[in-house]
Amino acid sequence: MALQQEKNYTIEDIYALPDGKRAELIDGRIYDMAPPSTKHQLLISKLNQKIANYIDEKGGNCMVLPAPFAVFLNEDDINYVEPDISVICDKNKLNEKGCNGAPDWIIEIVSPSTSSLDYGIKLFKYRTAGVREYWIINPMTHTINVYDLESEKGTYQYNFDDNIPVCIYDDLTIRISELL
């Protein structure tokens, strides 16, 4: 008996999804996205505001964009993600469809259904695509994993009450507990 072949999906399949249905595509596999919780959306909103205010105050060139925002990590048609927050410093990567290439900083907020994806597959994809910094915020454990992927100095774990230094900005720290 022959083994059934899994279908490889493309970005066309993502665009063909019914209105309102969100999914990500990683190496040709579709991962459905559940609607976010209120706490999840509050974290995105407050983090986006904090980072955008910092960039504006410093006269920076980077842009901070919250989900849903398309990121095409590689120049292929089998990878499409929507990070909760993307910070992009090279505006040449941006077009009307989203970001083509790795953002400088990605933040993902974990939900029970995305835990293994955020800590495993996405960490690998973001690292190999050239993301400089990756944060995984876990509201269930009140922890933040910070991956300094640019200098590869290591992984740091913080809690919501810690002042978390941002790797790509020397003078920015964020305390999650102050945002909630």
Side-chain angles (χ1 to χ4, degrees):
M1 173 188 234
L3 293 175
Q4 182 178 351
Q5 294 290 323
E6 250 187 64
K7 179 177 179 184
N8 283 325
Y9 293 93
T10 67
I11 290 170
E12 284 184 29
D13 296 304
I14 294 290
Y15 286 131
L17 292 172
D19 284 346
K21 181 167 174 68
R22 291 180 51 216
E24 294 180 305
L25 179 70
I26 300 175
D27 294 331
R29 181 171 176 200
I30 289 182
Y31 295 88
D32 291 326
M33 299 172 72
S37 69
T38 301
K39 188 172 193 176
H40 187 275
Q41 289 302 94
L42 179 63
L43 270 168
I44 290 173
S45 177
K46 295 291 189 174
L47 280 164
N48 188 77
Q49 181 180 15
K50 173 101 174 156
I51 297 164
N53 287 346
Y54 169 83
I55 292 169
D56 289 346
E57 288 168 10
K58 297 293 182 176
N61 292 324
C62 301
M63 296 179 67
V64 56
L65 297 159
F69 179 71
V71 173
F72 307 93
L73 285 174
N74 307 310
E75 292 186 32
D76 60 31
D77 66 345
I78 60 168
N79 287 287
Y80 166 98
V81 293
E82 291 184 5
D84 288 317
I85 295 180
S86 300
V87 176
I88 299 133
C89 299
D90 181 355
K91 291 188 177 142
N92 292 321
K93 292 182 178 181
L94 298 172
N95 64 23
E96 287 304 309
K97 289 189 174 188
C99 178
N100 295 291
D104 294 87
W105 180 17
I106 288 179
I107 299 173
E108 295 282 10
I109 300 167
V110 174
S111 66
S113 63
T114 66
S115 183
S116 64
L117 191 61
D118 292 332
Y119 286 104
I121 295 169
K122 284 186 177 180
L123 172 59
F124 175 77
K125 291 304 286 184
Y126 293 160
R127 180 185 310 261
T128 58
V131 172
R132 296 169 55 201
E133 181 168 357
Y134 177 38
W135 284 25
I136 302 174
I137 299 175
N138 190 326
M140 297 158 288
T141 61
H142 292 257
T143 58
I144 303 95
N145 284 36
V146 174
Y147 299 88
D148 183 351
L149 302 176
E150 182 175 46
S151 68
E152 298 202 20
K153 289 183 180 173
T155 304
Y156 307 95
Q157 189 172 69
Y158 300 93
N159 67 51
F160 278 24
D161 291 321
D162 291 331
N163 286 319
I164 306 164
V166 176
C167 303
I168 67 168
Y169 297 118
D170 292 336
D171 58 347
L172 175 61
T173 60
I174 297 174
R175 182 181 293 190
I176 301 298
S177 63
E178 289 178 350
L179 303 177
L180 300 175

